[in-house]
Amino acid sequence: MRHPKEITMEYTAEVLQETVKKSFAQADHLYVMETLNMYGVEPGELERVKVQLAILKLCDCDLDRLMHYVTRAKRDYRDVLFEAENF
Amino acid sequence: MRRIVFSIFVLVVLAAFTGGCGKTPGFHRGDGFTVNFPPSWIKNKDWVVEPRFNLKSKFEPYSVTYVTPEQDPDTLEPYASISIYRTKPDMQIWLEDEFPNIVDTFYNNGYDVLDKGEVKIDNQLAKWLVYRDNRKGLLNLEFYIVNDNNVLFRIQYCARDDKFSQYRPLFEGVRESIKLNRW
């Protein structure tokens, strides 16, 4: 059994795109990327890809939850990272 | 027949390595961390050791406590406990700033702070203090961590004065087994 610590995640744009491709139907890819890219455009919206990957993890392939977590990240991105940490 | 005996042998060996049903005794997966408590210790759901500081959080704090199966025959209190508490304060905090406030809180509430210092837990800086609760005759060893996501962990070992050394090695094993989830 692998310990969670051994499972490392690279926070890169490539990993992000791969995760979107694996998690959503092709028809939704553009919408998902556009929604994710709403995060990280304002000053103070730090750690863009890391947060976007956390959003993908938390939304569990649900488009409504995707928007919900993007909105939350824009309010305070550390809340989203905190919740992603819980799993 | 030989095949059945061999199958049972394989199952017994697998159970020995995995702790049976894939779960190791004492292994605990909390919010944001995993840890191995001493297998014989008992999870105490009612025993929530509230921290002596007040950091407001919109999230429900997470807490888990394990206690020794051995108890004081008179008070029925366990001889020692290990508790892990996790919260995410609404305000940004820094361990360097917050820890002196925590130490002061103990001084101000009449506890004897005996020693303090810092160490790493799972490669994360932790600040610790030892203090005596003279009213209850308890010694406490507490570790504090604040991670990059502004999450505060408090790891507490509490034991009766005369039992502190006895259970300390078990606590150190627990401390070394802590793995913090990172995101």
Side-chain angles (χ1 to χ4, degrees):
Chain A
M1 187 177 74
R2 289 178 76 193
H3 191 278
K5 195 189 166 197
E6 295 169 36
I7 303 167
T8 52
M9 165 81 81
E10 276 188 85
Y11 307 116
T12 63
E14 290 75 26
V15 173
L16 182 76
Q17 291 204 334
E18 276 304 306
T19 311
V20 170
K21 280 181 191 169
K22 283 181 196 163
S23 309
F24 291 91
Q26 196 176 358
D28 294 327
H29 288 177
L30 186 62
Y31 171 78
V32 172
M33 284 309 297
E34 281 178 356
T35 308
L36 285 171
N37 286 334
M38 288 163 66
Y39 177 80
V41 290
E42 300 292 334
E45 294 179 0
L46 307 179
E47 305 195 73
R48 188 175 197 212
V49 179
K50 187 176 176 181
V51 173
Q52 288 170 330
L53 280 163
I55 291 167
L56 283 179
K57 180 183 181 182
L58 291 167
C59 79
D60 200 21
C61 309
D62 182 309
L63 293 174
D64 292 335
R65 288 166 62 87
L66 176 78
M67 181 53 90
H68 165 79
Y69 282 109
V70 168
T71 308
R72 288 194 59 184
K74 289 181 78 65
R75 212 177 300 142
D76 190 341
Y77 72 97
R78 291 166 310 175
D79 287 353
V80 172
L81 294 178
F82 167 72
E83 289 194 35
E85 238 181 45
N86 289 349
F87 291 91
Chain B
M1 181 66 184
R2 202 177 283 174
R3 199 173 284 177
I4 294 169
V5 171
F6 179 73
S7 302
I8 291 169
F9 172 76
V10 169
L11 285 173
V12 168
V13 170
L14 275 174
F17 276 98
T18 61
C21 304
K23 195 178 178 194
T24 310
F27 177 79
H28 179 85
R29 185 183 298 281
D31 281 1
F33 66 93
T34 59
V35 62
N36 289 311
F37 287 104
S40 64
W41 286 34
I42 302 158
K43 187 175 178 182
N44 191 325
K45 286 178 187 166
D46 304 324
W47 190 311
V48 178
V49 186
E50 291 291 341
R52 292 173 185 81
F53 49 78
N54 186 23
L55 295 169
K56 284 186 182 169
S57 174
K58 58 180 174 270
F59 295 98
E60 188 71 23
Y62 179 87
S63 174
V64 61
T65 302
Y66 275 67
V67 299
T68 53
E70 301 84 20
Q71 301 176 326
D72 183 306
D74 297 326
T75 63
L76 299 181
E77 294 280 320
Y79 284 142
S81 67
I82 297 173
S83 168
I84 302 179
Y85 180 93
R86 177 178 180 259
T87 187
K88 184 180 184 304
D90 293 339
M91 286 178 63
Q92 176 72 51
I93 60 167
W94 285 269
L95 190 58
E96 296 290 335
D97 296 337
E98 202 58 41
F99 189 68
N101 297 334
I102 292 168
V103 175
D104 282 348
T105 305
F106 286 107
Y107 276 123
N108 297 336
N109 284 284
Y111 297 98
D112 291 340
V113 177
L114 306 175
D115 202 2
K116 56 184 190 287
E118 56 183 59
V119 71
K120 284 201 168 173
I121 295 179
D122 192 22
N123 278 325
Q124 184 90 39
L125 176 71
K127 291 196 177 267
W128 60 265
L129 80 158
V130 185
Y131 64 92
R132 178 178 280 119
D133 180 346
N134 289 316
R135 282 162 290 194
K136 294 181 180 170
L138 297 172
L139 266 177
N140 290 273
L141 170 59
E142 294 188 353
F143 294 79
Y144 292 85
I145 297 168
V146 178
N147 74 10
D148 291 344
N149 296 332
N150 200 42
V151 180
L152 181 137
F153 289 87
R154 186 207 51 192
I155 300 136
Q156 185 196 51
Y157 167 54
C158 175
R160 255 175 43 170
D161 237 336
D162 59 329
K163 300 287 182 186
F164 190 85
S165 301
Q166 180 185 334
Y167 292 105
R168 175 80 186 268
L170 284 177
F171 168 71
E172 292 302 329
V174 172
R175 183 167 70 84
E176 284 170 19
S177 75
I178 292 173
K179 303 293 174 200
L180 305 173
N181 296 354
R182 290 179 165 83
W183 188 272

